[in-house]
Amino acid sequence: MKKPFKTEPGRYGAQPMSRDAQERKRQGNRDTPRDAKGRDGARDGGRDGGRDGGKPARSGKTFDKKKSFDNPRRDKSFSDKPRFDKPKQTQAKPSFDKQGSAKNPGSRPERSVHKQGFTTRPTLRINLGAIKANYDRIQDRVGNAKIGASLKANAYGLGAEQVGRTLYGAGCRTFFVATAGEGKILREAIGDNASIYVLNGPAPQDLTLFFAFTLKPVINSLDQARIWTNEADRAKHAPYCALHIDTGMNRLGLSLDESETLSKNQALLGSLGPDLIMSHLACAPDANNPMNAQQLDRFRRIAARFPVMPLSLANSAGVYLGKEYHFQLVRPGISLYGGQATKKANNEDTEPVVSLMAPVLQIRNVKAGDTIGYNGAFRADSDMKIAVLGAGYADGVPVAASGLSGSKGKTSFVTLAKQRVPIIGRVSMDLTIVDITRLTKPPGLGDWAEFRGENLTVDANAIGTIDYELLVRLGDRCRRTYQKG
Ligand SMILES: *Cc1c(COP(=O)(O)O)cnc(C)c1O
């Protein structure tokens, strides 16, 4: 079965099917058949009026009546329509037929019903209950292994303090952040009874933070080993740390040679006092990639040279590779936050956590032939009704999700009035435009459009990025609201 929202081939191209399948699965039986009604309603077209009964006029025709009725004096000098529209309307009676549209371009905003107390600011809804549920599911999957949650980059943009406290409440006692500054924030949120590892390792400027907040550095090189041991001796600390061995990622981590050197240097190893040996998988999202088994093998062999201590290899995607990848500690991030960890959507047991909601700021009728947004990147083939939404790339809506004319198969959708509507035109800094021509009932101002969440519709794969990036780019301007579950 295809998705209820039908696209016109040629205008929006094919829909991203894999995401459709996933969305159907998520929605399950809650998905009401909105198609039949949707089609019917769309037939009254976008430009007529009177559908909404007693609500304020939406159409130009009713509007004119209202104008003279309200206040004849205002009739000539002022319009009820927003004033910026006036130059287009100078020649008395607006024309609504196709012919008239040459004289009168006719694209214009509508007066719409608006929600009480509506805001122009986007909202990020973060479901902490879903994070806990995802934590529990990963715990079920990894059995006796422990979970060291990845909270780097402000818990993937969701708020390290709230996410940290939630996971601590769920039983998590090991955390990973990228920098000592992130470690300080997390420590202050969760208290002293947990290990916080700093993935980027120690650097001279950050050492005071490491000591003050009892952070454990991840040692990524012999240089970092020396920085840490020198300073640790001086500060008379007996700190723990993790040793990070590079087994093929070629990013951070001790090389195999360095690891071997270190494993033979009892003095250095003794003063480092590692309590964890870890490595990181490069290709875990692709379960068939031979790199996974190769890294697993290297990791086992090099770890065997060190005294027995807990081992850790798997990130979220690694969790799904199977038991032999779990060792004593897994380090999931994205799966906790409802993102897609693997290529195949085989992490269907994660619950969606984040909804980016943007209010409808304006509804416009656009004439055939008009262009929409920056660069005129979208041209209306026929008369359209569009909605302008109050979130743009500053809030994390990727520019790559723009809906440009002729961009076949690359359309991104948002959910508005419970239906999928395509993004059209170029996403701008604060605003995104969607095509609502086919909506049964146009939204009111202040109604919320959902960019991601249960109806996750901006598909990372389709626009050439990854869920991680979509998450961490959710902007500071969004009002963050946290739900307990
Ligand atoms: C970010 C990170 C993780 C978590 O990765 P996810 O893919 O989000 O699960 C684990 N380990 C290291 C070293 C990381 O940098």
Side-chain angles (χ1 to χ4, degrees):
M1 200 198 97
K2 269 201 86 149
K3 197 70 205 163
F5 187 92
K6 290 199 180 97
T7 56
E8 281 171 39
R11 185 190 267 183
Y12 307 120
Q15 293 172 54
M17 289 305 292
S18 62
R19 178 58 70 183
D20 281 352
Q22 204 180 333
E23 189 184 322
R24 271 202 303 279
K25 189 163 177 108
R26 278 179 174 156
Q27 291 191 339
N29 295 331
R30 281 175 293 150
D31 201 348
T32 50
R34 51 206 182 201
D35 189 20
K37 274 199 171 170
R39 282 323 100 197
D40 280 1
R43 256 194 268 122
D44 357 8
R47 306 186 60 80
D48 64 332
R51 288 203 301 283
D52 293 321
K55 288 176 190 164
R58 285 173 186 279
S59 82
K61 282 175 190 163
T62 8
F63 204 64
D64 285 22
K65 281 185 211 143
K66 189 167 163 28
K67 207 159 67 167
S68 35
F69 170 80
D70 271 357
N71 185 347
R73 189 179 59 80
R74 285 171 59 198
D75 213 354
K76 290 230 165 60
S77 47
F78 291 100
S79 162
D80 273 336
K81 290 164 194 155
R83 297 194 43 196
F84 50 75
D85 199 36
K86 212 170 164 256
K88 292 182 179 173
Q89 303 280 342
T90 42
Q91 296 311 313
K93 214 174 164 207
S95 167
F96 295 103
D97 55 42
K98 291 242 153 126
Q99 247 137 26
S101 71
K103 266 181 279 158
N104 167 23
S107 295
R108 62 200 165 81
E110 284 196 352
R111 284 192 72 198
S112 301
V113 190
H114 62 77
K115 279 204 155 149
Q116 265 195 333
F118 93 90
T119 169
T120 66
R121 188 182 175 194
T123 288
L124 206 54
R125 267 198 339 231
I126 297 158
N127 187 338
L128 297 173
I131 294 179
K132 182 185 179 315
N134 292 336
Y135 177 87
D136 290 343
R137 285 174 191 178
I138 294 170
Q139 188 65 74
D140 285 348
R141 196 176 270 269
V142 302
N144 290 331
K146 291 197 156 48
I147 295 176
S150 169
L151 269 75
K152 55 201 188 188
N154 194 28
Y156 294 40
L158 305 186
E161 286 149 308
Q162 290 85 349
V163 171
R165 282 194 286 263
T166 299
L167 290 170
Y168 188 89
C172 188
R173 292 296 179 270
T174 305
F175 296 85
F176 290 87
V177 294
T179 66
E182 292 175 359
K184 167 185 189 287
I185 291 166
L186 183 60
R187 176 65 76 206
E188 287 173 338
I190 63 173
D192 291 334
N193 186 26
S195 289
I196 300 175
Y197 291 98
V198 176
L199 287 164
N200 289 359
Q205 269 214 17
D206 305 330
L207 288 169
T208 48
L209 283 179
F210 275 95
F211 297 132
F213 297 93
T214 337
L215 308 175
K216 297 179 177 181
V218 173
I219 302 297
N220 295 296
S221 64
L222 288 178
D223 278 344
Q224 285 194 336
R226 286 187 200 102
I227 290 171
W228 187 238
T229 47
N230 290 344
E231 296 297 328
D233 285 350
R234 207 179 62 206
K236 293 224 161 42
H237 272 260
Y240 292 106
C241 64
L243 299 180
H244 182 185
I245 297 167
D246 180 64
T247 53
M249 175 91 171
N250 276 313
R251 197 175 60 171
L252 289 179
L254 295 145
S255 67
L256 296 177
D257 282 355
E258 281 185 310
S259 309
E260 214 170 313
T261 307
L262 179 58
S263 70
K264 290 175 186 155
N265 186 339
Q266 292 303 322
L268 183 54
L269 200 54
S271 56
L272 275 174
D275 64 355
L276 178 72
I277 295 184
M278 57 174 272
S279 187
H280 193 46
L281 295 164
C283 304
D286 179 6
N288 297 322
N289 195 314
M291 184 94 166
N292 297 322
Q294 194 177 60
Q295 287 193 271
L296 176 64
D297 182 57
R298 282 183 186 155
F299 184 57
R300 279 191 178 128
R301 279 191 285 139
I302 196 72
R305 294 179 177 271
F306 290 89
V308 176
M309 68 186 86
L311 305 179
S312 176
L313 179 61
N315 58 350
S316 298
V319 166
Y320 298 97
L321 288 179
K323 268 225 139 330
E324 67 269 35
Y325 287 83
H326 296 167
F327 295 96
Q328 286 74 42
L329 185 80
V330 294
R331 306 187 307 272
I334 195 80
S335 286
L336 292 168
Y337 312 125
Q340 194 183 344
T342 60
K343 265 192 183 167
K344 279 190 276 165
N346 71 349
N347 54 331
E348 63 275 293
D349 58 351
T350 56
E351 281 187 22
V353 168
V354 185
S355 297
L356 172 59
M357 314 289 290
V360 174
L361 301 187
Q362 197 168 80
I363 313 272
R364 303 182 76 91
N365 291 305
V366 173
K367 283 284 194 183
D370 271 11
T371 63
I372 293 167
Y374 279 122
N375 296 2
F378 184 93
R379 185 179 296 275
D381 293 343
S382 50
D383 289 0
M384 296 173 80
K385 191 185 283 283
I386 64 175
V388 183
L389 307 176
Y393 59 79
D395 307 296
V397 179
V399 173
S402 300
L404 315 183
S405 282
S407 63
K408 290 197 172 100
K410 290 219 174 144
T411 306
S412 292
F413 295 83
V414 310
T415 305
L416 182 56
K418 299 203 171 84
Q419 291 179 62
R420 278 158 48 103
V421 294
I423 294 177
I424 52 171
R426 201 173 83 184
V427 172
S428 43
M429 187 180 290
D430 319 301
L431 303 166
T432 299
I433 301 169
V434 293
D435 175 7
I436 59 166
T437 312
R438 290 151 180 273
L439 284 189
T440 322
K441 184 174 181 295
L445 302 188
D447 282 356
W448 293 100
E450 189 175 23
F451 279 79
R452 55 175 302 145
E454 280 187 48
N455 302 305
L456 173 69
T457 40
V458 173
D459 180 357
N461 291 332
I463 59 170
T465 182
I466 50 177
D467 259 7
Y468 300 75
E469 188 180 16
L470 293 185
L471 274 184
V472 299
R473 290 194 186 280
L474 294 168
D476 288 342
R477 182 164 59 190
C478 299
R479 193 169 74 93
R480 280 161 166 74
T481 64
Y482 291 91
Q483 300 168 293
K484 282 275 184 275

